[in-house]
Amino acid sequence: MTGRLAVVGLGPGDPRYLTPEAGETLTAAQALYGYAPYLECVPARAGQSRHPSDNREESARAAAALRHAAQGANVAVVSGGDPGVFAMAAAICEAIEAGPENWRALDVVFVPGITAMLAVAAKIGAPLGHDFCALSLSDNLKPWPLVERRLDAAASAGLVIALYNPVSRARPWQFGSAMERLRRHLPPATPIVFGHAVGRPHERVAVTTLAAAGATPADMATLVIVGTRETRMIARPGRTPLVYTPRAAAEVSA
Ligand code: SAH
């Protein structure tokens, strides 16, 4: 079987964040699959077919891309950021595991990208400078009580938390509820970073505290970094503050 499937991370939006490997893989592909707004970020190339789909259709998109590759084509599936972080790489693996035997014989490669939490962190200092974790606040694929249990565990263990998918039109209350939950474990002055559309034209990065976090607007293009008791803010004249988590932590930090 000669078909090839590449699962490619585009980074957060700025073309300078696209790795050379990702760029080469996209140029070489005969067919591109992905969420429509991500596909629009990929420069057009003659002779390359495009197969945009909706955000919610990850499983169907994965199966369509695999079927196409199994016909012998060189196919690329794109994700924003890194494809392995709340994105298409796991959907492709799920489809291969559940799918026909011949999909296992395909040449499948995963091309990493800069994930949103790294792009946001780089805009503000070093909030992920000590132990951290990443959680998706979406309860589309897991029950909300599990999200709460993970928030409790992460905050009480003294981990910085990168929150993906904080808010959507279908999930208006979850973010406020998550902040309330975190107040059980963390002081009101805990720094919170909001990174909106980082690497895109309307980029905005704001720093607030856990006490005020509910009032800061967040949406599907926002990544939120919740600090720990150790996370610090350095005020600077005429510049945005630096937020960082020191490399060393006390034995019990939560
Ligand atoms: N695979 C992506 C994440 C997909 S989940 C990655 O590695 O970045 C989608 C969530 O990622 C969004 O709700 C938001 O929380 C975050 N995100 C993606 N791109 C972003 C950007 N440019 N700026 C801020 N957050 C972003």
Side-chain angles (χ1 to χ4, degrees), residues 12 80-82 85-87 115-116 163-166 195 197-198 200 220-223:
D82 182 89
V85 180
F86 308 123
T115 188
L163 290 176
Y164 285 77
N165 299 312
V198 166
R200 301 182 199 155
M220 273 312 268
T222 306
L223 178 115

Side-chain angles (χ1 to χ4, degrees), residues 11-14 38 58 79-88 113-117 119-120 136 163-167 171 195-200 219-224:
D14 186 332
Y38 293 145
E58 290 182 340
S79 277
D82 182 89
V85 180
F86 308 123
M88 285 307 294
I114 297 176
T115 188
M117 67 177 177
V120 172
S136 168
L163 290 176
Y164 285 77
N165 299 312
V167 181
R171 298 180 294 103
H196 171 82
V198 166
R200 301 182 199 155
D219 59 15
M220 273 312 268
T222 306
L223 178 115
V224 178

